Amino acid sequence: MMRIAGVDIEKGIIAAPMAGISDLPFRLLCARHGSELQCMEMISAKAITYHNRNTEALMEISPDEGYVSLQMFGSEPDVMAEAVRMIQHRPYHILDINMGCPVPKIVNNGEGSALMKDPQLAGRIVEAIVRVSDKPVTVKIRSGFDPEHINAAEMARVLQESGASAVCVHGRTREQYYSGQADWDVIAQVKAAVR
């Protein structure tokens, strides 16, 4: 069993977020086949604050999904906190911050896995969100930005101290994207570094 700030995931089955895939019909299928927590595809904090029409459809949630984790990305603490204020009323259970996306257009904006290069900014983002969120805040990270900068354990400690309820680690660097071998040792180091 896994508990994230009052959200009990008894069998530990979670449908991971995937851009362009984790839409409402997909999440409903996952829930129907045993997933206990459905993770939504990532949503831009700026798009929320700009009232982007396409973003509204991405944030649709059904009560038939069970537990839902809404995933958001950005790099400006104030903008991200404002986006959280604007979506508090929605029926999600966990707010997940994506600090692991390797896609160039995200990274070039200083978002996603680019935040692995600046743990202090990442901590300020989490602090700003935790201050305004009435839901638990989790963070997705990578092992590091590149092989020379493996800092997932340090990053996880900063995120925990900033108020994150849980950290999910993709055991690859940003440079690896989704190829090569995941580094299970880094995941173990993160587990040992945080509560």
Coordinates of all heavy atoms in Angstrom, one line a residue, residues 7-15 30-31 34-38 65-68:
V7 N -4.3 10.0 0.5 CA -4.7 9.3 -0.6 C -4.1 7.9 -0.6 O -2.9 7.7 -0.7 CB -4.3 10.0 -2.0 CG1 -4.7 9.2 -3.2 CG2 -4.9 11.4 -2.0
D8 N -5.0 6.9 -0.3 CA -4.5 5.5 -0.1 C -4.6 4.7 -1.4 O -5.7 4.6 -2.0 CB -5.3 4.8 0.9 CG -5.1 5.4 2.3 OD1 -4.0 6.0 2.5 OD2 -5.9 5.2 3.2
I9 N -3.5 4.3 -1.9 CA -3.4 3.5 -3.1 C -3.0 2.1 -2.7 O -1.9 1.7 -2.4 CB -2.3 4.0 -4.1 CG1 -2.7 5.5 -4.4 CG2 -2.3 3.3 -5.4 CD1 -1.6 6.3 -4.9
E10 N -4.1 1.2 -2.5 CA -3.9 0.0 -1.8 C -3.0 -1.0 -2.5 O -2.2 -1.7 -1.9 CB -5.3 -0.6 -1.5 CG -6.0 0.2 -0.5 CD -7.4 -0.4 -0.1 OE1 -7.6 -1.6 -0.3 OE2 -8.2 0.3 0.5
K11 N -3.2 -1.2 -3.8 CA -2.4 -2.1 -4.6 C -1.2 -1.5 -5.3 O -0.4 -2.2 -5.9 CB -3.3 -2.8 -5.7 CG -4.4 -3.7 -5.1 CD -5.3 -4.2 -6.2 CE -6.4 -3.1 -6.5 NZ -7.4 -3.5 -7.4
G12 N -1.1 -0.2 -5.2 CA 0.0 0.5 -5.8 C 0.0 0.6 -7.3 O 1.0 0.7 -7.9
I13 N -1.2 0.5 -7.9 CA -1.3 0.6 -9.3 C -1.7 2.0 -9.7 O -2.8 2.5 -9.4 CB -2.4 -0.5 -9.8 CG1 -2.0 -1.9 -9.4 CG2 -2.5 -0.4 -11.4 CD1 -3.0 -2.9 -9.7
I14 N -0.8 2.6 -10.5 CA -1.0 4.0 -10.9 C -0.8 4.0 -12.5 O 0.2 3.5 -13.0 CB 0.1 4.9 -10.3 CG1 0.0 4.8 -8.7 CG2 0.0 6.3 -10.8 CD1 1.1 5.5 -8.0
A15 N -1.7 4.7 -13.1 CA -1.6 5.0 -14.6 C -0.7 6.2 -14.8 O -1.1 7.3 -14.4 CB -3.0 5.2 -15.2
C30 N -8.2 2.8 -17.8 CA -7.3 2.4 -16.8 C -7.9 2.1 -15.5 O -7.7 1.1 -14.8 CB -6.2 3.4 -16.6 SG -5.1 3.6 -18.1
A31 N -8.9 3.0 -15.1 CA -9.6 2.8 -13.8 C -10.4 1.5 -13.9 O -10.5 0.8 -12.9 CB -10.5 4.0 -13.5
G34 N -8.3 -1.6 -13.1 CA -7.6 -1.8 -11.9 C -6.7 -0.7 -11.4 O -6.1 -0.8 -10.3
S35 N -6.4 0.3 -12.3 CA -5.6 1.4 -11.8 C -6.3 2.2 -10.7 O -7.5 2.6 -10.9 CB -5.2 2.3 -13.0 OG -4.5 3.4 -12.5
E36 N -5.6 2.5 -9.6 CA -6.2 3.2 -8.5 C -6.0 4.7 -8.5 O -6.7 5.5 -7.9 CB -5.6 2.7 -7.2 CG -5.9 1.2 -7.0 CD -5.0 0.6 -5.9 OE1 -3.8 0.3 -6.1 OE2 -5.6 0.5 -4.8
L37 N -5.0 5.2 -9.3 CA -4.7 6.6 -9.4 C -4.4 6.9 -10.9 O -3.5 6.3 -11.5 CB -3.5 7.0 -8.5 CG -2.9 8.4 -8.7 CD1 -4.0 9.5 -8.2 CD2 -1.6 8.6 -8.0
Q38 N -5.2 7.8 -11.4 CA -5.1 8.2 -12.8 C -4.3 9.5 -12.9 O -4.8 10.5 -12.3 CB -6.4 8.3 -13.5 CG -7.5 7.3 -13.3 CD -7.0 5.9 -13.0 OE1 -6.2 5.3 -13.6 NE2 -7.6 5.3 -11.9
E65 N -13.3 7.9 -12.4 CA -11.8 7.6 -12.5 C -11.2 7.2 -11.2 O -10.1 6.7 -11.1 CB -11.1 8.9 -12.9 CG -11.4 9.3 -14.3 CD -10.6 10.5 -14.7 OE1 -9.3 10.4 -14.9 OE2 -11.1 11.7 -14.8
G66 N -11.9 7.4 -10.1 CA -11.3 7.1 -8.8 C -10.4 8.3 -8.4 O -10.7 9.5 -8.7
Y67 N -9.2 8.0 -7.9 CA -8.3 9.1 -7.5 C -7.7 9.6 -8.8 O -7.3 8.9 -9.7 CB -7.2 8.6 -6.6 CG -7.6 8.3 -5.2 CD1 -7.3 7.1 -4.6 CD2 -8.2 9.2 -4.5 CE1 -7.6 6.8 -3.3 CE2 -8.6 9.0 -3.1 CZ -8.3 7.8 -2.6 OH -8.6 7.5 -1.3
V68 N -7.5 10.9 -8.9 CA -6.9 11.6 -10.0 C -5.8 12.5 -9.6 O -6.0 13.3 -8.6 CB -8.0 12.4 -10.8 CG1 -7.4 13.2 -12.0 CG2 -9.1 11.5 -11.3

